[in-house]
């Protein structure tokens, strides 16, 4: 089982829709969780960190469920510019905290 | 600040040739990483460094070597390129590898091995 798993999609949604992605992780010692965004043929960039209490940044909400070992990303009122691949990143505690990336979920927002 | 830069941006090699990819960061970050990204495979860690003079293997280190002689630079070498090494290579850096520590990525190097 891969350490960090994501549904590759693509998720194809109309503008204005609400869409949610999940990401599951296998290491129960994981401590740090992130969502990165990657545009086509570009480098990944941090979208948001995921805190235990959940966090919100404008139209984006990230949540952590430690019991079920998954994190989620909710995008409300989707824009055309949200079209991208969303990468889930998990780091375990102790040692060197080297992050593990999921394969990414592709989102396509159409008019 | 330039952030993380990578040289070159594109390269075409023939099988058996060698080359070095250069990554430079001007943020005084301790940690640096080299990833490759292939279609459908996500980002896979090749090697990483936790500080000047140190390197460690990642998930897919075979066929690659690295060096971190200066804190701001992380070099990735291919001694004898193979078609399987055709990929997009990303370098990243982070201040420390502690909890909630953001990685900053370079723009990538697109390598084709014929």
């Amino acid at each position: 089982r891969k350490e960090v798993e994501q549904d590759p999609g693509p998720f194809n949604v109309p503008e204005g829709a609400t869409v949610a992605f999940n990401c599951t992780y296998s290491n129960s010692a994981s401590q740090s969780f992130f969502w990165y965004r990657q545009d086509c043929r570009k480098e990944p960039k941090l979208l948001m960190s995921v805190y235990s209490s959940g966090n919100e940044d404008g139209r984006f909400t990230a949540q952590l469920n430690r019991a079920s070992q998954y994190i989620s990303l909710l995008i409300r009122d989707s824009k055309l510019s949200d079209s991208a691949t969303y990468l889930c990143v998990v780091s375990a505690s102790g040692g060197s905290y080297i992050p593990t990336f999921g394969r990414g979920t592709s989102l396509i927002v159409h008019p | 600040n330039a952030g993380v830069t990578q040289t070159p941006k594109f390269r075409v090699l023939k099988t058996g040739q060698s080359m070095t990819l250069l990554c430079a960061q001007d943020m005084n970050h301790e940690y640096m990483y080299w990833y490759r990204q292939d279609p459908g495979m996500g980002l896979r860690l090749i090697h990483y460094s936790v500080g000047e003079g140190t390197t460690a293997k990642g998930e897919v280190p075979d066929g690659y070597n690295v060096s971190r002689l200066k804190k701001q630079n992380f070099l990735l070498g291919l001694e004898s390129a193979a078609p399987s090494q055709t990929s997009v290579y990303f370098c990243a850096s982070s201040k420390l590898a502690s909890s909630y520590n953001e990685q900053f990525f370079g723009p990538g190097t697109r390598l084709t091995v014929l």
Side-chain angles (χ1 to χ4, degrees):
Chain A
R1 180 186 172 187
K2 195 162 169 52
E3 287 186 49
V4 179
E5 293 200 53
Q6 296 182 250
D7 181 343
F11 285 64
N12 207 318
V13 303
E15 271 187 292
T18 296
V19 61
F21 314 133
N22 280 347
C23 166
T24 59
Y25 60 93
S26 59
N27 187 346
S28 59
S30 297
Q31 285 279 11
S32 307
F33 309 90
F34 308 87
W35 284 103
Y36 279 71
R37 170 191 169 128
Q38 185 175 27
D39 293 300
C40 187
R41 301 178 70 79
K42 299 283 190 179
E43 71 273 24
K45 292 183 179 178
L46 181 68
L47 177 66
M48 57 198 308
S49 302
V50 186
Y51 303 121
S52 297
S53 55
N55 47 306
E56 187 174 314
D57 183 3
R59 298 181 293 107
F60 299 84
T61 300
Q63 295 204 317
L64 167 64
N65 185 317
R66 286 193 184 273
S68 301
Q69 294 186 199
Y70 73 87
I71 65 172
S72 63
L73 178 68
L74 180 78
I75 305 175
R76 291 181 297 277
D77 189 21
S78 298
K79 312 291 185 192
L80 295 176
S81 58
D82 293 334
S83 297
T85 296
Y86 292 84
L87 303 170
C88 169
V89 184
V90 177
S91 293
S93 62
S96 56
Y97 293 99
I98 300 302
T100 301
F101 282 76
R103 295 185 181 186
T105 296
S106 175
L107 172 65
I108 300 171
V109 182
H110 58 83
Chain B
N1 285 353
V4 180
T5 58
Q6 292 184 231
T7 310
K9 289 187 169 51
F10 302 92
R11 186 71 187 269
V12 178
L13 290 178
K14 294 181 179 178
T15 297
Q17 287 185 317
S18 64
M19 78 164 294
T20 300
L21 281 66
L22 171 64
C23 175
Q25 52 93 6
D26 61 2
M27 297 174 283
N28 200 34
H29 284 173
E30 292 293 333
Y31 277 59
M32 297 187 74
Y33 316 78
W34 274 109
Y35 294 91
R36 62 177 289 173
Q37 187 173 37
D38 303 294
M41 295 297 293
L43 283 160
R44 292 185 291 169
L45 183 64
I46 304 172
H47 287 279
Y48 65 97
S49 168
V50 303
E52 182 178 316
T54 72
T55 63
K57 294 181 180 180
E59 181 186 354
V60 288
D62 294 340
Y64 306 94
N65 56 74
V66 288
S67 64
R68 183 104 181 262
L69 299 179
K70 293 182 179 180
K71 186 176 183 178
Q72 64 267 35
N73 295 337
F74 195 28
L75 278 62
L76 178 71
L78 286 73
E79 289 186 349
S80 179
S84 60
Q85 294 178 304
T86 293
S87 188
V88 179
Y89 292 85
F90 287 104
C91 175
S93 71
S94 61
K95 188 173 183 179
L96 290 171
S98 62
S99 294
Y100 304 106
N101 208 23
E102 178 182 358
Q103 284 182 302
F104 294 83
F105 284 82
T109 295
R110 283 159 180 76
L111 175 66
T112 301
V113 183
L114 303 175

